[in-house]
Amino acid sequence: MSSFGTSIAGLVGGVVLLMGLFALFQREWKAAFVWFLSGLGLIALLTFLDKPGSHPSEPLKTRETRE
């Protein structure tokens, strides 16, 4: 992942974690569970979308072989 993608995933994860903790403190168990699951899914999606080579503007790294 790029450093920008990692920072975005970290910010999103932090916000979702805080929302889940707030729901737990309010004793809303189902809401907290939904916040935590949606956060995991969103971070997984952001990580998948930011894999190397997924952006057309980035040059693909090729390896030269000797013959």
Side-chain angles (χ1 to χ4, degrees), residues 35-67:
W35 271 111
F36 291 139
L37 280 183
S38 65
L40 285 174
L42 188 58
I43 291 173
L45 178 67
L46 289 172
T47 305
F48 175 74
L49 292 176
D50 196 42
K51 65 180 182 280
S54 64
H55 304 287
S57 62
E58 295 178 2
L60 294 174
K61 294 181 182 177
T62 58
R63 187 175 63 175
E64 294 182 16
T65 58
R66 295 183 183 174
E67 293 184 17

Side-chain angles (χ1 to χ4, degrees), residues 11-34:
L11 286 173
V12 168
V15 169
V16 171
L17 175 67
L18 289 175
M19 292 301 291
L21 288 175
F22 180 72
L24 277 177
F25 290 144
Q26 298 297 319
R27 296 186 188 240
E28 295 288 337
W29 311 113
K30 291 179 185 176
F33 184 70
V34 169

